[in-house]
Structures are given as C-alpha cells and as structure tokens.
Amino acid sequence: AQTVTQSQPEMSVQEAETVTLSCTYDTSENNYYLFWYKQPPSRQMILVIRQEAYKQQNATENRFSVNFQKAAKSFSLKISDSQLGDTAMYFCAFMKTGGGADGLTFGKGTHLIIQP
Amino acid sequence: KAGVTQTPRYLIKTRGQQVTLSCSPISGHRSVSWYQQTPGQGLQFLFEYFSETQRNKGNFPGRFSGRQFSNSRSEMNVSTLELGDSALYLCASSLELAGAYPNEQFFGPGTRLTVL
C-alpha cells in the first residue's frame, strides 16, 4: 500500500508571492502517477498538475510547477505569482500505473490562503 | 460537455437508515470512482466501477456498496448508517481508454451526507 504525506496543514502568503507546498510519498511501485488537486471552498475538486514517474522532466502548467524527486519520493508544488483565486485546499495524490482501478491515494491536504 | 453531476447535493439521515447516492459521469466516460471525504480521515477511496463491474474496492465495510448501469451512471448505497458515515461523498469519472494518458479523474461537486 502507498501513503502520501503533506506536512503543512495550512500556509498563508501574500498575493503575487511564490509558495511551495510539500508532499512526500511512500510506495514500492516503480511506475505511477502523481497529481496535485485543488479544492476551492465550492468543493469541486480540480486537477492542477500531473507527473508521470518515468519522466525526469518536471511538469509545468502556467504558474504551477512541480519539483519531482523520485529517489527521495518527494513531489512539491510551486505556485508562482499567487492570486486570490488560488486560495483552496491542495491535495497531493498518487495512482499506480494501470488506470483508476486502484483509485487515488490522497494526502491530508494543505489549506493555502492567499492574502490580499 | 457537462461535468460530473451528483444527486442529491445534501442529505440528512438518521442512524440505522440506508441511503443511495447517484453519480452521472461525463458523457463517454466509462469509469466511475467513489471517495469519502471527512475531516479526520481525509479523502479515502471507496470503489471503482467500469462496464458495470466493480474493479476494485477500498478498505470499507460491506455496508458500503455500489453499482453501475449500462449508461455508466453509478449509485452507491450505505446501509445501516452510523454517525461516522457523515461525510462528503465524491464521485469521479474517467475515460479509461486503453493506452489513454493517464485516465485523469474528473470530480463531481459531491453529496454532503449528515447522519444524526
């Protein structure tokens, strides 16, 4: 079984600042995917960014990027030029290769607050 | 294209009752997964259905069950409700095409179940 740990229950930064959310995971699998999901106060879970474990290049999506360290089993999310709309719960998640059959394993989440 | 829809959005039940929640996936999506979200346990995988068959199940008691219909719509049922079943129940659908990258899960808004 795999576990996902997010060590920062809550973070608060000023608008336009850069913030990094931490995530570590434990697995014996070699092929897997990692995700960051955002859950705003409206509760709709949205995929922010994903990373395939076999890819060495870190994924980026506009202001969002990850630092994937496979050997260290670390998968942090960096948000640049943070905006008020980035305020949300952020969940790090793991999925074994092979699709959704085993489901996503989530961390406990980090509540990110962007202050004006 | 319409997103994942879940009905009802809110539900109040008493201990011992049973409840059925419904999820309509994005058109064309063949896989439906269910998750339970609570403040204490976070997000936990319940089960996943594909082509009307349960492919995998999380670590939940037999009181939690589900099914999928030929149109991919899914229902989950919880019998003999307990106070601890109070949670947000999230449904997610994915395309599940062979070789598709990586079966991204799209979440619905959830059903908030309160057990009194």
Side-chain angles (χ1 to χ4, degrees):
Chain A
Q2 36 279 336
T3 59
V4 177
T5 302
Q6 293 178 249
S7 58
Q8 306 148 312
E10 185 170 290
M11 295 186 71
S12 180
V13 299
Q14 296 294 123
E15 194 175 6
E17 289 184 344
T18 294
V19 59
T20 299
L21 308 184
S22 301
C23 172
T24 58
Y25 60 95
D26 189 26
T27 183
S28 58
E29 302 288 332
N30 193 46
N31 298 313
Y32 50 87
Y33 302 111
L34 294 164
F35 306 87
W36 278 98
Y37 280 89
K38 169 185 177 181
Q39 189 178 39
S42 66
R43 295 285 185 179
Q44 192 94 27
M45 192 84 75
I46 305 164
L47 178 65
V48 174
I49 198 165
R50 59 183 164 231
Q51 174 81 42
E52 298 101 312
Y54 67 87
K55 286 189 176 179
Q56 291 185 334
Q57 185 174 6
N58 290 324
T60 62
E61 288 286 342
N62 301 313
R63 297 183 296 107
F64 299 88
S65 62
V66 298
N67 183 3
F68 173 50
Q69 303 288 329
K70 190 174 183 179
K73 295 181 181 173
S74 170
F75 183 61
S76 61
L77 173 70
K78 185 172 84 170
I79 305 174
S80 303
D81 186 28
S82 58
Q83 302 173 359
L84 297 179
D86 295 332
T87 293
M89 284 293 293
Y90 286 81
F91 294 96
C92 178
F94 173 103
M95 179 189 286
K96 292 195 302 185
T97 302
D102 292 327
L104 288 159
T105 299
F106 287 92
K108 295 287 190 184
T110 295
H111 184 204
L112 176 64
I113 301 168
I114 309 298
Q115 305 274 10
Chain B
K1 188 180 274 192
V4 178
T5 58
Q6 292 186 246
T7 56
R9 292 293 309 277
Y10 301 91
L11 206 50
I12 300 175
K13 292 285 187 179
T14 56
R15 278 183 300 173
Q17 286 187 310
Q18 75 164 16
V19 66
T20 299
L21 312 181
S22 180
C23 171
S24 293
I26 292 171
S27 178
H29 284 198
R30 304 189 296 168
S31 167
V32 174
S33 298
W34 288 88
Y35 296 85
Q36 181 195 63
Q37 185 175 21
T38 60
Q41 299 298 317
L43 281 150
Q44 294 183 285
F45 173 69
L46 279 156
F47 31 62
E48 187 254 2
Y49 285 86
F50 177 79
S51 292
E52 302 178 64
T53 301
Q54 186 183 90
R55 286 201 297 191
N56 203 20
K57 191 176 190 298
N59 189 26
F60 278 82
R63 300 185 298 107
F64 291 81
S65 63
R67 59 178 177 169
Q68 186 180 35
F69 302 94
S70 59
N71 62 357
S72 293
R73 189 177 70 86
S74 177
E75 289 180 347
M76 69 162 281
N77 184 77
V78 188
S79 62
T80 319
L81 284 166
E82 300 177 359
L83 295 179
D85 296 334
S86 293
L88 181 68
Y89 290 88
L90 294 170
C91 163
S93 74
S94 62
L95 200 53
E96 292 293 316
L97 283 179
Y101 174 88
N103 300 309
E104 176 183 341
Q105 297 197 4
F106 295 83
F107 285 81
T111 294
R112 168 71 65 188
L113 172 64
T114 302
V115 182
L116 301 176

